Amino acid sequence: MSTPWHILGAGSLGTLWATRLARSGAPVRLILRDAARLASYQAGAGLTLVEHGVEQTYRVPGETADSSEPIHRLLVACKAYDVQSAIAQLQHRLVPNAELVLLQNGLGSQDAVAAQLPQARCIFASSTEGAFRDGDWRVVFAGHGYTWLGDAAHPTAPLWLDDLHAAGIPHEWSTNILTRLWRKLALNCAINPLTVLYQCRNGGLQDHQCEVATLCAELAELLECCGQPAAAEGLHGEVQRVIQATAANYSSMYQDVANARRTEISYLLGYACQAAARHQLVLPHLQQVQTRLVDYLAAHGLASN
Ligand code: NAD
Ligand code: KPL
């Protein structure tokens, strides 16, 4: 039997991956938060994937972190701020040289996990796929995209990429995964906070073009300074294209705030501002947006870490 995929976090992306892997016949185990969530899951029919309006339910076995099976391959699908504590709960089950795939957006959480698990191989991922939950144990595949995976420390691709191929998960092994993550972080920093502050869809930023351009210039300066010139190239143009192409959408940060969910601000703008401070780079507009966003979140009773 091939190595099981343990999936930590049965949210949008975790369910999207679990259902497609299970559909292809790969062994999958879903790790749930606690016994109550496990009981709720086991009382239902399994995990449901809604794709192009068609629903399919898969009986993926569930367990909690204190189950006994050793973990060789772990897909980490929690939010960036939950990753370290979620991993700490099952650390004792990871075999030496376990492989982890980290699906988190932004930067900072991946390095924290790599430091927490020096024996493990941490593979970073950056995904443009989009999914949301429309009920417990259900996910809607909302935006087809791509997932880039890479390991800055060891450039060799793992053999299990075949599993992703068999599962129909569009992906590519990337030898410059950090550049991809930085680029996505910069895009998210240029768009998401402003959509919260102006309470608008992505397209609404067409009314704030000067501010977007100034932020992009500062973000490009930061990327250059952090040794990521390729991530800085044509940033403003891409941001404008994304704003146009996703004009009718609400950004993920807007949706988090609208649903009173904690945002991943510390791993996006927060990370960018900290990196700027480390390099003694003065980026007044970026800093100002960070301050305005922190104030906005506090005024709405939301955490800003
Ligand atoms: P989500 O909130 O839908 O799912 C996270 C899940 O992790 C939740 O079910 C939560 O209960 C679970 N969790 C948290 N702590 C846990 C623990 N200790 N044990 C077990 N489960 C635990 O989040 P998501 O939208 O799937 O996002 C996950 C990551 O992927 C984020 O960093 C996000 O930015 C990124 N991402 C999401 C999308 C998307 O379309 N949803 C796209 C690209 C990137
Ligand atoms: O990734 C995004 C998000 O909403 O998080 C886009 C659509 C690119 C906006 O930054």
Side-chain angles (χ1 to χ4, degrees):
M1 165 124 144
S2 54
T3 306
W5 284 84
H6 282 89
I7 299 192
L8 179 58
S12 307
L13 275 201
T15 304
L16 187 61
W17 279 63
T19 48
R20 288 179 296 177
L21 285 163
R23 180 171 63 188
S24 71
V28 181
R29 317 264 186 275
L30 200 59
I31 302 176
L32 300 167
R33 202 185 265 279
D34 52 35
R37 289 297 286 161
L38 180 59
S40 149
Y41 175 65
Q42 286 174 335
L47 286 181
T48 298
L49 172 65
V50 185
E51 193 175 4
H52 305 303
V54 179
E55 293 187 11
Q56 280 286 334
T57 300
Y58 302 89
R59 274 215 167 271
V60 176
E63 62 186 40
T64 57
D66 52 16
S67 167
S68 60
E69 193 187 9
I71 297 174
H72 293 261
R73 186 179 303 147
L74 182 69
L75 180 78
V76 184
C78 305
K79 286 283 172 68
Y81 47 75
D82 277 331
V83 162
Q84 277 188 278
S85 60
I87 286 176
Q89 289 179 308
L90 47 69
Q91 202 161 338
H92 60 284
R93 292 176 56 194
L94 293 169
V95 300
N97 307 320
E99 291 178 293
L100 282 80
V101 180
L102 306 174
L103 280 179
Q104 287 60 49
N105 210 1
L107 281 164
S109 68
Q110 301 89 343
D111 283 342
V113 172
Q116 190 178 358
L117 303 172
Q119 311 265 41
R121 183 180 195 196
C122 290
I123 289 168
F124 298 3
S126 177
S127 183
T128 57
E129 292 194 316
F132 64 88
R133 281 179 285 176
D134 70 344
D136 241 6
W137 319 117
R138 293 172 56 87
V139 70
V140 178
F141 198 169
H144 288 258
Y146 228 79
T147 301
W148 285 269
L149 302 130
D151 176 351
H154 304 281
T156 318
L159 293 174
W160 49 255
L161 290 185
D162 286 350
D163 282 11
L164 306 193
H165 189 72
I169 297 174
H171 67 281
E172 192 176 302
W173 184 252
S174 168
T175 49
N176 57 0
I177 190 67
L178 284 178
T179 302
R180 288 211 173 266
L181 283 162
W182 268 109
R183 176 67 162 210
K184 177 102 190 297
L185 177 145
L187 276 166
N188 288 161
C189 285
I191 298 174
N192 299 10
L194 292 183
T195 62
V196 173
L197 294 172
Y198 292 119
Q199 282 298 289
C200 65
R201 295 174 196 262
N202 293 352
L205 298 185
Q206 280 156 343
D207 297 337
H208 302 277
Q209 289 187 33
C210 272
E211 202 168 354
V212 171
T214 310
L215 280 183
C216 287
E218 288 191 357
L219 285 161
E221 203 182 330
L222 175 66
L223 293 169
E224 300 264 1
C225 200
C226 292
Q228 294 293 338
E233 234 169 76
L235 178 64
H236 184 218
E238 191 178 351
V239 166
Q240 287 176 306
R241 281 194 296 281
V242 170
I243 287 174
Q244 219 162 39
T246 63
N249 299 354
Y250 287 108
S251 77
S252 55
M253 192 179 275
Y254 177 102
Q255 292 179 46
D256 283 341
V257 173
N259 291 296
R261 289 191 301 248
R262 184 173 168 185
T263 69
E264 295 183 302
I265 176 180
S266 299
Y267 303 88
L268 298 166
L269 253 190
Y271 187 88
C273 288
Q274 271 179 19
R278 250 194 332 273
H279 290 281
Q280 297 179 328
L281 196 60
V282 180
L283 303 175
H285 295 88
L286 200 67
Q287 187 56 58
Q288 195 211 42
V289 170
Q290 157 83 349
T291 306
R292 283 162 64 200
L293 185 60
V294 166
D295 290 348
Y296 185 98
L297 295 176
H300 289 78
L302 290 171
S304 50
N305 61 350

